[in-house]
Amino acid sequence: MTPDQAVKDLAATEIQPRARVLAMPEYHPPLGHRDRLRLDFNENTLACSPAVKTALENISATDLTRYPEREPVEALVANYLDVAPEQVLLTNGVDEAIHVLCQAFLDAGDELLLPVPTYTMYEIYASSTDATLRKVQAADDFRFPFESLLGAINARTRIIAIANPNSPTGSVATREQILAIAQAAPGAIILVDEAYFHFYGQSVIDLVGKVPNLVVARTFSKAYGLAGLRLGLLAGPESLLRWVRRVLSPYSVNSVALAALTAALKDQSYIDWYVAQVKQARAEFLSGLTGLGLDYWPTEANFVLVNIGATHREFVAAMREQGILVRDRSADPGCLGCVRITIGTPEQMRTALTAVESFLKSNPAGASK
């Protein structure tokens, strides 16, 4: 065989991934062209702390030549959370936290229990393993399906993922419910994802190390406004996190992100101010939706799920034309006709409410069920 023929034969060969990767769902976030009022991804709608900006400006060219060291910053985070340093693991966003947890603990024959609708990436990362994903559908009121979830626990249950507050619904599981689930599934990791904790104010992170199968995730993408730097964490017993560290890259959290996080943690007053702004705006916006006759679900997060109905696509397009981005969640289980709207500052949400009202006036059949 000539070299040219060998090259042609190789070019015709297609290498396939594992069967699970072929079968797993894909996630394509609708990013790009987001130079509008960003009420679509539950981000901080203003900016990060000014202290973060100063810290970034002080990073030298020499600083960037060194590999990142996460341990000193993990110690700072641990002190902030009032847990031991070995009980904290910083990750490249909560996405990586979910990914490595699945890689460390899900094997063939295992099950991940997932209340739905919820954050898409639990399903994505679980589907990349040889475990089985088992969904537990919430009722029409989107309350946390506590009884159904308890009934789904079995000997194969290895991870139970609970977003608290949940996205896209804004619903919550109570502390008592989480403890009951942990007791009912002692052989499973109970992952409580508290990405939206600041807007809810209640946490189970104080139970880390006391409940041996509890792991809590947090993000610095939402209230802290560091989504572009990709920072998250897992807090859990050292006996569990040691295995997660084994499958985690030692350099997945970069030096720039670590410097920003150090500054952000020292400026809690900024976080308190921003969260207060969002809570005020949430109350005003929900009251406005009620006044417009729109149905929505109670929320403890920095977003609200609104039932727009048959005109949901037109609604999203109309809001974009008015310079406001919102997220169509109709493809989520049980969410047909639903649109999720991030809550920003009071001024931003007054602008958004005016746009919603304009849509309804120009679409008399809008929000039809």
Side-chain angles (χ1 to χ4, degrees):
M1 180 183 296
T2 66
D4 288 345
Q5 184 59 48
V7 169
K8 289 180 180 179
D9 289 347
L10 286 171
T13 303
E14 182 177 357
I15 299 175
Q16 294 291 321
R18 293 188 299 116
R20 292 306 296 262
V21 175
L22 279 172
M24 68 186 288
E26 294 185 56
Y27 178 61
H28 300 285
L31 295 171
H33 307 291
R34 299 186 66 226
D35 53 342
R36 296 169 172 84
L37 177 51
R38 298 174 289 104
L39 304 184
D40 53 344
F41 274 83
N42 304 336
E43 301 155 319
N44 179 310
T45 59
L46 282 180
C48 61
S49 160
V52 171
K53 186 174 184 295
T54 299
L56 296 179
E57 291 170 348
N58 290 332
I59 293 175
S60 70
T62 300
D63 291 333
L64 298 180
T65 67
R66 305 184 181 116
Y67 282 104
E69 297 184 39
R70 76 176 89 202
E71 289 82 2
V73 184
E74 285 177 344
L76 290 175
V77 173
N79 182 66
Y80 170 72
L81 296 176
D82 196 24
V83 297
E86 60 269 19
Q87 294 175 328
V88 171
L89 177 62
L90 288 175
T91 58
N92 191 263
V94 170
D95 280 9
E96 185 184 45
I98 299 167
H99 189 193
V100 293
L101 197 67
C102 289
Q103 291 298 313
F105 291 103
L106 289 181
D107 210 343
D110 293 335
E111 288 185 353
L112 182 144
L113 283 187
L114 188 63
V116 294
T118 193
Y119 183 47
T120 306
M121 299 312 294
Y122 303 125
E123 178 176 358
I124 298 290
Y125 291 129
S127 298
S128 71
T129 72
D130 291 324
T132 299
L133 177 68
R134 190 173 180 187
K135 299 179 181 180
V136 179
Q137 178 68 47
D140 291 344
D141 61 7
F142 288 141
R143 291 184 183 179
F144 179 64
F146 174 62
E147 296 294 343
S148 298
L149 191 64
L150 277 182
I153 294 171
N154 59 61
R156 297 181 298 279
T157 305
R158 187 66 164 165
I159 296 178
I160 302 174
I162 302 170
N164 201 44
N166 184 41
S167 177
T169 64
S171 62
V172 295
T174 67
R175 182 184 185 91
E176 291 74 23
Q177 288 173 334
I178 291 169
L179 281 170
I181 291 168
Q183 291 172 339
I189 292 172
I190 314 303
L191 170 63
V192 180
D193 184 348
E194 297 184 342
Y196 303 102
F197 151 75
H198 292 89
F199 310 103
Y200 177 37
Q202 298 186 37
S203 174
V204 292
I205 208 160
D206 62 297
L207 298 177
V208 165
K210 301 173 184 175
V211 178
N213 56 339
L214 176 69
V215 174
V216 177
R218 289 276 185 92
T219 183
F220 298 97
S221 295
K222 311 302 181 185
Y224 283 88
L226 302 179
L229 290 176
R230 310 309 303 128
L231 271 169
L233 68 84
L234 286 176
E238 192 277 335
S239 60
L240 295 178
L241 292 192
R242 62 182 294 216
W243 304 116
V244 178
R245 293 181 194 276
R246 183 169 291 190
V247 297
L248 178 70
S249 165
Y251 309 120
S252 64
V253 180
N254 66 74
S255 298
V256 176
L258 292 171
L261 178 55
T262 300
L265 289 175
K266 294 177 181 178
D267 192 7
Q268 190 60 41
S269 62
Y270 176 82
I271 300 302
D272 293 341
W273 172 82
Y274 179 73
V275 170
Q277 289 286 297
V278 171
K279 288 184 175 181
Q280 176 187 338
R282 182 174 66 190
E284 291 181 7
F285 187 67
L286 297 185
S287 177
L289 293 178
T290 298
L292 294 175
L294 286 173
D295 291 335
Y296 59 88
W297 285 267
T299 177
E300 297 288 349
N302 65 331
F303 55 82
V304 59
L305 189 67
V306 185
N307 188 356
I308 299 299
T311 58
H312 57 96
R313 292 186 184 87
E314 292 85 351
F315 175 78
V316 172
M319 293 290 282
R320 174 181 280 273
E321 288 177 4
Q322 296 190 67
I324 302 170
L325 303 177
V326 296
R327 191 80 178 271
D328 193 335
R329 303 307 313 193
S330 286
D332 290 5
C335 293
L336 183 62
C338 295
V339 174
R340 191 189 66 196
I341 303 175
T342 299
I343 306 295
T345 66
E347 182 179 359
Q348 289 172 335
M349 300 318 295
R350 290 167 196 146
T351 299
L353 191 64
T354 298
V356 173
E357 185 175 12
S358 175
F359 171 79
L360 294 177
K361 286 180 178 179
S362 60
N363 295 267
S368 60
K369 309 300 187 291

